[in-house]
Amino acid sequence: MELEIKNLGPIKNAKIDLTKRFYVFVGYNNSGKTYLAQVLWMLFDKETLRKFTYKKELDSLKKTGNQVKITQECLKEIFSEYASFLKNTALPDLFGLDKGHFLIKNASLDFSVSMDKILKKRFNTKIGISVKNKNFEIIEISKTEDSLSLLINENKLDENIHIPDEIIEDYKSHNFILEFIINLALSNHSNPFYLPAPRLFYPVFYQYIYRLEKEKREEMSRKFLDILENSSGDTIKLKDLEEQIRYFKSPYTKPMSDVVNKLYKLNENAKSQSTYVELIDRLKKIMGGDIEIKKIEGIAPVDFRLKVDKNKNLEGYLSSSSVNQLTTLYLYLKYWAGKSDNFLIIDEPEENLHPKNQSNLLKILLSFASDKENRVLITTHSVLITEALNNYINLGQLLQKGFDVDSFLEENHLDISSKDLLTPDKIGVYFFEGQRVIEYAIEEYGVHFADFKEEERKIKFLSEQITDELYALSNETIVE
């Protein structure tokens, strides 16, 4: 499945293959990498999909008995409607902008869905409701390989189980079959997580941000109340309401606000998970210690500190930039990532890291992407990271050709697992040149990062010229 997006900020045209496990966005500054990364967050966000499917009925999506047949007409209508919803509703909401804002005013989205790939997929989902901390499975939808039919099994609940009317009404309002088909095409089960490039301030200043947002919301409530109380009769000035809404909009995009909200909800009793313990241990080695959650009475729910040994810890503002940069990733792996089917999006993972730790962090991300059906997207300006990725791609191609990669890695004392290697079907590399987004081909010797290579060539050439001049001057001095 492919997403085509046009006229989003500087991006005039881009096509992204949505089936990859690892994405790399490279290119010039202000060319739209961060915009498109957040659009993918929106696309895979469960809340976005639920809003679209709420009370949504489509003529081509017809149920016969306990089955629904997927047709070309059905897919065309679904993704045409979904693209329209994303452009007109989800995109403005994502960036916190009015529809007429120049960044998104002329943007358009479109999907290319292959019936052959849909046919070959196997997919299954179960939907339930929760009543008094008890979960009840209501419906199961499944699709087998080499079939275009969906099987819907609805379970009858025990008559003695009382389910509140509002829960039943909410359940009936969602078009779960429509949601299933979109998830089937996207191969998506879980919510994505986005880490923006300016990560340093999150662990230290999230309390301040949240408090300001809370104060703004309280002030907005007071302003709206004033407008209602001072309106003449039944007439409310729409202009006054619009001005207040515009003023009180969040200054952060939705995925950025999501990070702040997750940080604010953490507490000392937060339950950690065991799924990614090995990756967390590797991350702790880069940071130089563990992250502790501490309660600060009267200020905010928790503070984050670097535990350097048993009896010593450093407050966040005293820790190094690399620690603060990696804290949110650490928390994600420990508390927020699902057991499988995650989509981790990181803007410039190399930020504030020594080259050795850039390499080590990349290994962690590759391990995350190779396990549990997870996906990873990075945007990067790091030559080192792209060169390292090329090594993993080339080793992956050797593995595909039957080469004994494990022995090669062991003989060369390389701390790399063959399961983490990249093959052309798993990785998508996209170059943002200023207006167009170009997919880089995976060739016999990996990916040729043309813009990086050109800058390297210029610097090397200048270095050689300077060296020649120094050598010439040295010889002249000797002759004299």
Side-chain angles (χ1 to χ4, degrees):
M1 182 172 174
E2 253 188 357
L3 167 69
E4 182 175 8
I5 188 160
K6 296 180 178 180
N7 302 317
L8 173 65
I11 301 172
K12 300 307 176 189
N13 194 3
K15 285 186 179 181
I16 306 294
D17 185 341
L18 298 174
T19 66
K20 303 296 185 180
R21 310 302 308 175
F22 202 98
Y23 293 87
V24 185
F25 286 0
V26 295
Y28 305 119
N29 297 116
N30 304 313
S31 57
K33 297 187 296 297
T34 299
Y35 291 145
L36 193 48
Q38 292 185 82
V39 166
L40 291 183
W41 181 94
M42 172 191 75
L43 183 60
F44 286 89
D45 177 44
K46 275 186 176 180
E47 183 186 342
T48 301
L49 184 54
R50 282 288 168 92
K51 285 181 179 178
F52 172 65
T53 60
Y54 187 73
K55 294 185 178 180
K56 186 74 174 178
E57 297 295 334
L58 296 177
D59 293 336
S60 61
L61 198 59
K62 296 176 182 177
K63 184 178 174 184
T64 305
N66 67 338
Q67 289 191 348
V68 169
K69 182 82 171 180
I70 300 176
T71 64
Q72 189 72 56
E73 177 193 7
C74 165
L75 287 178
K76 185 177 179 181
E77 183 181 14
I78 288 173
F79 284 98
S80 174
E81 292 275 341
Y82 193 38
S84 177
F85 167 80
L86 292 174
K87 185 253 188 297
N88 295 312
T89 303
L91 204 58
D93 191 36
L94 171 71
F95 293 117
L97 300 173
D98 296 324
K99 291 181 183 180
H101 193 281
F102 69 89
L103 185 70
I104 59 173
K105 182 179 180 180
N106 298 313
S108 66
L109 295 93
D110 197 12
F111 295 95
S112 176
V113 187
S114 167
M115 282 292 286
D116 289 339
K117 290 182 179 179
I118 292 287
L119 177 66
K120 293 174 183 176
K121 284 187 178 181
R122 178 183 297 173
F123 206 61
N124 181 75
T125 192
K126 295 178 181 179
I127 297 108
I129 56 176
S130 180
V131 181
K132 294 181 179 179
N133 296 322
K134 289 185 178 180
N135 295 318
F136 301 98
E137 187 180 307
I138 299 292
I139 185 172
E140 179 178 8
I141 309 174
S142 59
K143 177 195 170 299
T144 58
E145 191 176 348
D146 296 324
S147 171
L148 289 172
S149 292
L150 309 182
L151 183 64
I152 297 102
N153 289 321
E154 297 192 56
N155 298 324
K156 290 185 177 180
L157 293 177
D158 191 314
E159 293 180 357
N160 296 320
I161 299 172
H162 174 68
I163 300 175
D165 291 341
E166 61 269 21
I167 294 180
I168 293 293
E169 184 62 30
D170 182 67
Y171 163 75
K172 289 181 178 179
S173 296
H174 289 286
N175 191 331
F176 293 112
I177 297 172
L178 176 59
E179 185 177 315
F180 180 90
I181 293 173
I182 294 175
N183 276 328
L184 170 68
L186 292 173
S187 300
N188 181 41
H189 295 265
S190 185
N191 273 332
F193 185 75
Y194 173 75
L195 282 174
R199 288 180 289 279
L200 289 178
F201 73 94
Y202 274 101
V204 178
F205 297 112
Y206 82 95
Q207 306 161 11
Y208 177 69
I209 296 167
Y210 198 92
R211 188 166 66 249
L212 282 179
E213 290 296 298
K214 183 181 178 182
E215 289 172 358
K216 282 177 66 176
R217 286 193 295 271
E218 290 172 353
E219 186 182 349
M220 181 170 67
S221 297
R222 289 195 297 270
K223 291 277 188 180
F224 282 162
L225 187 60
D226 287 343
I227 291 171
L228 289 171
E229 289 177 348
N230 295 323
S231 60
S232 56
D234 296 328
T235 304
I236 298 174
K237 290 183 180 180
L238 186 61
K239 185 179 178 182
D240 290 342
L241 286 175
E242 288 176 342
E243 285 178 358
Q244 294 303 321
I245 291 170
R246 190 178 297 112
Y247 175 74
F248 288 109
K249 275 188 176 180
S250 172
Y252 314 105
T253 64
K254 279 194 73 177
M256 292 175 72
S257 296
D258 182 56
V259 179
V260 176
N261 289 332
K262 279 182 166 61
L263 288 168
Y264 196 81
K265 290 175 183 177
L266 271 178
N267 58 69
E268 289 178 305
N269 299 317
K271 187 177 180 181
S272 62
Q273 57 172 323
S274 58
T275 309
Y276 303 106
V277 169
E278 191 265 337
L279 296 184
I280 292 170
D281 287 340
R282 287 159 63 182
L283 196 58
K284 281 157 58 175
K285 289 179 181 178
I286 299 177
M287 294 189 296
D290 203 353
I291 298 297
E292 281 194 334
I293 296 176
K294 291 289 183 180
K295 179 82 172 180
I296 305 178
E297 294 295 340
I299 298 178
V302 294
D303 185 28
F304 304 103
R305 300 181 183 183
L306 177 69
K307 186 176 181 180
V308 290
D309 63 32
K310 188 175 181 180
N311 299 312
K312 295 178 181 177
N313 59 54
L314 278 173
E315 287 82 352
Y317 70 91
L318 294 175
S319 300
S320 72
S321 59
S322 64
V323 170
N324 283 297
Q325 196 265 85
L326 294 171
T327 292
T328 41
L329 177 59
Y330 169 95
L331 296 171
Y332 170 71
L333 294 173
K334 190 170 183 177
Y335 299 108
W336 304 325
K339 291 182 178 179
S340 64
D341 300 288
N342 299 286
F343 192 177
L344 173 60
I345 303 170
I346 304 186
D347 212 355
E348 300 178 27
E350 69 272 11
E351 203 175 57
N352 307 109
L353 295 182
H354 182 278
K356 181 179 179 180
N357 285 334
Q358 290 184 35
S359 179
N360 288 333
L361 178 58
L362 178 61
K363 290 175 186 176
I364 292 172
L365 297 178
L366 287 168
S367 295
F368 182 78
S370 69
D371 199 17
K372 313 294 184 186
E373 295 298 314
N374 294 326
R375 304 185 195 199
V376 170
L377 184 155
I378 64 171
T379 75
T380 184
H381 295 286
S382 169
V383 174
L384 186 144
I385 282 182
T386 55
E387 288 296 324
L389 281 166
N390 248 337
N391 288 337
Y392 297 128
I393 292 169
N394 290 333
L395 284 169
Q397 294 194 106
L398 285 172
L399 185 64
Q400 281 187 323
K401 294 176 180 179
F403 181 73
D404 188 355
V405 170
D406 286 318
S407 295
F408 175 84
L409 295 173
E410 186 177 349
E411 289 166 7
N412 290 277
H413 309 289
L414 297 172
D415 183 24
I416 302 169
S417 172
S418 59
K419 75 177 182 64
D420 298 340
L421 300 179
L422 296 167
T423 50
D425 61 308
K426 293 180 181 178
I427 184 168
V429 181
Y430 295 88
F431 172 62
F432 290 63
E433 69 165 10
Q435 291 191 338
R436 293 183 305 157
V437 178
I438 303 166
E439 183 174 8
Y440 275 167
I442 312 294
E443 298 171 347
E444 186 178 358
Y445 299 105
V447 180
H448 179 66
F449 292 89
D451 58 322
F452 286 180
K453 293 296 183 184
E454 176 62 19
E455 294 308 312
E456 281 184 312
R457 187 194 65 77
K458 289 177 182 178
I459 291 170
K460 187 176 180 181
F461 176 75
L462 178 59
S463 176
E464 289 171 351
Q465 294 293 104
I466 293 170
T467 301
D468 287 345
E469 294 299 331
L470 286 170
Y471 181 74
L473 281 174
S474 177
N475 281 344
E476 287 176 13
T477 304
I478 291 171
V479 170
E480 291 175 359

PDB file of all heavy atoms in Angstrom, residues 240-253:
ATOM      1  N   ASP A 240     -16.113  36.394  18.269  1.00  0.00           N
ATOM      2  CA  ASP A 240     -15.476  36.334  19.591  1.00  0.00           C
ATOM      3  C   ASP A 240     -15.041  34.909  19.921  1.00  0.00           C
ATOM      4  O   ASP A 240     -13.951  34.687  20.447  1.00  0.00           O
ATOM      5  CB  ASP A 240     -16.442  36.841  20.675  1.00  0.00           C
ATOM      6  CG  ASP A 240     -16.683  38.349  20.574  1.00  0.00           C
ATOM      7  OD1 ASP A 240     -15.863  39.014  19.911  1.00  0.00           O
ATOM      8  OD2 ASP A 240     -17.676  38.825  21.155  1.00  0.00           O
ATOM      9  N   LEU A 241     -15.903  33.939  19.621  1.00  0.00           N
ATOM     10  CA  LEU A 241     -15.574  32.536  19.894  1.00  0.00           C
ATOM     11  C   LEU A 241     -14.378  32.079  19.057  1.00  0.00           C
ATOM     12  O   LEU A 241     -13.472  31.414  19.566  1.00  0.00           O
ATOM     13  CB  LEU A 241     -16.779  31.641  19.597  1.00  0.00           C
ATOM     14  CG  LEU A 241     -17.930  31.686  20.604  1.00  0.00           C
ATOM     15  CD1 LEU A 241     -19.100  30.845  20.098  1.00  0.00           C
ATOM     16  CD2 LEU A 241     -17.481  31.190  21.975  1.00  0.00           C
ATOM     17  N   GLU A 242     -14.380  32.434  17.785  1.00  0.00           N
ATOM     18  CA  GLU A 242     -13.289  32.034  16.901  1.00  0.00           C
ATOM     19  C   GLU A 242     -11.952  32.598  17.362  1.00  0.00           C
ATOM     20  O   GLU A 242     -10.924  31.923  17.331  1.00  0.00           O
ATOM     21  CB  GLU A 242     -13.588  32.475  15.464  1.00  0.00           C
ATOM     22  CG  GLU A 242     -14.690  31.663  14.795  1.00  0.00           C
ATOM     23  CD  GLU A 242     -15.017  32.185  13.415  1.00  0.00           C
ATOM     24  OE1 GLU A 242     -14.647  33.350  13.110  1.00  0.00           O
ATOM     25  OE2 GLU A 242     -15.661  31.453  12.645  1.00  0.00           O
ATOM     26  N   GLU A 243     -11.968  33.860  17.818  1.00  0.00           N
ATOM     27  CA  GLU A 243     -10.738  34.494  18.288  1.00  0.00           C
ATOM     28  C   GLU A 243     -10.201  33.787  19.528  1.00  0.00           C
ATOM     29  O   GLU A 243      -8.993  33.580  19.670  1.00  0.00           O
ATOM     30  CB  GLU A 243     -10.991  35.972  18.593  1.00  0.00           C
ATOM     31  CG  GLU A 243     -11.120  36.831  17.334  1.00  0.00           C
ATOM     32  CD  GLU A 243     -11.418  38.281  17.668  1.00  0.00           C
ATOM     33  OE1 GLU A 243     -11.564  38.590  18.883  1.00  0.00           O
ATOM     34  OE2 GLU A 243     -11.511  39.093  16.737  1.00  0.00           O
ATOM     35  N   GLN A 244     -11.101  33.391  20.431  1.00  0.00           N
ATOM     36  CA  GLN A 244     -10.666  32.704  21.652  1.00  0.00           C
ATOM     37  C   GLN A 244     -10.110  31.317  21.332  1.00  0.00           C
ATOM     38  O   GLN A 244      -9.080  30.902  21.865  1.00  0.00           O
ATOM     39  CB  GLN A 244     -11.833  32.579  22.642  1.00  0.00           C
ATOM     40  CG  GLN A 244     -12.317  33.901  23.196  1.00  0.00           C
ATOM     41  CD  GLN A 244     -11.201  34.677  23.875  1.00  0.00           C
ATOM     42  OE1 GLN A 244     -10.360  34.099  24.549  1.00  0.00           O
ATOM     43  NE2 GLN A 244     -11.183  35.992  23.691  1.00  0.00           N
ATOM     44  N   ILE A 245     -10.778  30.595  20.450  1.00  0.00           N
ATOM     45  CA  ILE A 245     -10.320  29.259  20.075  1.00  0.00           C
ATOM     46  C   ILE A 245      -8.951  29.333  19.421  1.00  0.00           C
ATOM     47  O   ILE A 245      -8.051  28.530  19.702  1.00  0.00           O
ATOM     48  CB  ILE A 245     -11.346  28.584  19.126  1.00  0.00           C
ATOM     49  CG1 ILE A 245     -12.633  28.258  19.892  1.00  0.00           C
ATOM     50  CG2 ILE A 245     -10.756  27.320  18.505  1.00  0.00           C
ATOM     51  CD1 ILE A 245     -13.771  27.814  19.012  1.00  0.00           C
ATOM     52  N   ARG A 246      -8.763  30.329  18.538  1.00  0.00           N
ATOM     53  CA  ARG A 246      -7.480  30.490  17.844  1.00  0.00           C
ATOM     54  C   ARG A 246      -6.368  30.808  18.849  1.00  0.00           C
ATOM     55  O   ARG A 246      -5.264  30.297  18.773  1.00  0.00           O
ATOM     56  CB  ARG A 246      -7.598  31.588  16.790  1.00  0.00           C
ATOM     57  CG  ARG A 246      -6.397  31.666  15.854  1.00  0.00           C
ATOM     58  CD  ARG A 246      -6.588  32.740  14.790  1.00  0.00           C
ATOM     59  NE  ARG A 246      -7.720  32.428  13.921  1.00  0.00           N
ATOM     60  CZ  ARG A 246      -8.856  33.124  13.896  1.00  0.00           C
ATOM     61  NH1 ARG A 246      -9.010  34.168  14.691  1.00  0.00           N
ATOM     62  NH2 ARG A 246      -9.844  32.784  13.094  1.00  0.00           N
ATOM     63  N   TYR A 247      -6.686  31.651  19.816  1.00  0.00           N
ATOM     64  CA  TYR A 247      -5.677  32.067  20.800  1.00  0.00           C
ATOM     65  C   TYR A 247      -5.266  30.904  21.708  1.00  0.00           C
ATOM     66  O   TYR A 247      -4.100  30.777  22.080  1.00  0.00           O
ATOM     67  CB  TYR A 247      -6.224  33.214  21.644  1.00  0.00           C
ATOM     68  CG  TYR A 247      -5.296  33.631  22.768  1.00  0.00           C
ATOM     69  CD1 TYR A 247      -4.131  34.354  22.505  1.00  0.00           C
ATOM     70  CD2 TYR A 247      -5.587  33.277  24.089  1.00  0.00           C
ATOM     71  CE1 TYR A 247      -3.267  34.727  23.537  1.00  0.00           C
ATOM     72  CE2 TYR A 247      -4.726  33.646  25.120  1.00  0.00           C
ATOM     73  CZ  TYR A 247      -3.579  34.374  24.838  1.00  0.00           C
ATOM     74  OH  TYR A 247      -2.731  34.726  25.851  1.00  0.00           O
ATOM     75  N   PHE A 248      -6.228  30.048  22.059  1.00  0.00           N
ATOM     76  CA  PHE A 248      -5.950  28.999  23.045  1.00  0.00           C
ATOM     77  C   PHE A 248      -5.577  27.653  22.423  1.00  0.00           C
ATOM     78  O   PHE A 248      -5.479  26.659  23.117  1.00  0.00           O
ATOM     79  CB  PHE A 248      -7.168  28.827  23.970  1.00  0.00           C
ATOM     80  CG  PHE A 248      -7.343  29.969  24.919  1.00  0.00           C
ATOM     81  CD1 PHE A 248      -8.381  30.872  24.764  1.00  0.00           C
ATOM     82  CD2 PHE A 248      -6.446  30.162  25.965  1.00  0.00           C
ATOM     83  CE1 PHE A 248      -8.527  31.936  25.644  1.00  0.00           C
ATOM     84  CE2 PHE A 248      -6.601  31.228  26.837  1.00  0.00           C
ATOM     85  CZ  PHE A 248      -7.639  32.112  26.688  1.00  0.00           C
ATOM     86  N   LYS A 249      -5.359  27.617  21.138  1.00  0.00           N
ATOM     87  CA  LYS A 249      -4.902  26.371  20.525  1.00  0.00           C
ATOM     88  C   LYS A 249      -3.529  25.995  21.050  1.00  0.00           C
ATOM     89  O   LYS A 249      -2.693  26.858  21.313  1.00  0.00           O
ATOM     90  CB  LYS A 249      -4.855  26.518  18.994  1.00  0.00           C
ATOM     91  CG  LYS A 249      -6.190  26.246  18.326  1.00  0.00           C
ATOM     92  CD  LYS A 249      -6.044  26.223  16.813  1.00  0.00           C
ATOM     93  CE  LYS A 249      -7.367  25.855  16.151  1.00  0.00           C
ATOM     94  NZ  LYS A 249      -7.257  25.823  14.685  1.00  0.00           N
ATOM     95  N   SER A 250      -3.290  24.699  21.192  1.00  0.00           N
ATOM     96  CA  SER A 250      -1.998  24.238  21.694  1.00  0.00           C
ATOM     97  C   SER A 250      -0.889  24.635  20.730  1.00  0.00           C
ATOM     98  O   SER A 250      -1.058  24.548  19.515  1.00  0.00           O
ATOM     99  CB  SER A 250      -2.001  22.711  21.849  1.00  0.00           C
ATOM    100  OG  SER A 250      -0.703  22.243  22.155  1.00  0.00           O
ATOM    101  N   PRO A 251       0.262  25.077  21.253  1.00  0.00           N
ATOM    102  CA  PRO A 251       1.384  25.447  20.376  1.00  0.00           C
ATOM    103  C   PRO A 251       2.199  24.231  19.933  1.00  0.00           C
ATOM    104  O   PRO A 251       3.247  24.384  19.335  1.00  0.00           O
ATOM    105  CB  PRO A 251       2.219  26.371  21.268  1.00  0.00           C
ATOM    106  CG  PRO A 251       1.964  25.884  22.652  1.00  0.00           C
ATOM    107  CD  PRO A 251       0.540  25.394  22.663  1.00  0.00           C
ATOM    108  N   TYR A 252       1.695  23.028  20.246  1.00  0.00           N
ATOM    109  CA  TYR A 252       2.414  21.810  19.902  1.00  0.00           C
ATOM    110  C   TYR A 252       1.547  20.929  19.005  1.00  0.00           C
ATOM    111  O   TYR A 252       0.318  20.977  19.068  1.00  0.00           O
ATOM    112  CB  TYR A 252       2.789  21.020  21.169  1.00  0.00           C
ATOM    113  CG  TYR A 252       3.372  21.886  22.247  1.00  0.00           C
ATOM    114  CD1 TYR A 252       2.621  22.236  23.373  1.00  0.00           C
ATOM    115  CD2 TYR A 252       4.664  22.391  22.132  1.00  0.00           C
ATOM    116  CE1 TYR A 252       3.147  23.057  24.353  1.00  0.00           C
ATOM    117  CE2 TYR A 252       5.200  23.214  23.110  1.00  0.00           C
ATOM    118  CZ  TYR A 252       4.429  23.541  24.222  1.00  0.00           C
ATOM    119  OH  TYR A 252       4.951  24.361  25.179  1.00  0.00           O
ATOM    120  N   THR A 253       2.196  20.133  18.185  1.00  0.00           N
ATOM    121  CA  THR A 253       1.445  19.187  17.364  1.00  0.00           C
ATOM    122  C   THR A 253       0.923  18.061  18.254  1.00  0.00           C
ATOM    123  O   THR A 253       1.391  17.876  19.388  1.00  0.00           O
ATOM    124  CB  THR A 253       2.332  18.596  16.256  1.00  0.00           C
ATOM    125  OG1 THR A 253       3.393  17.834  16.864  1.00  0.00           O
ATOM    126  CG2 THR A 253       2.920  19.678  15.373  1.00  0.00           C
TER     127      THR A 253
END
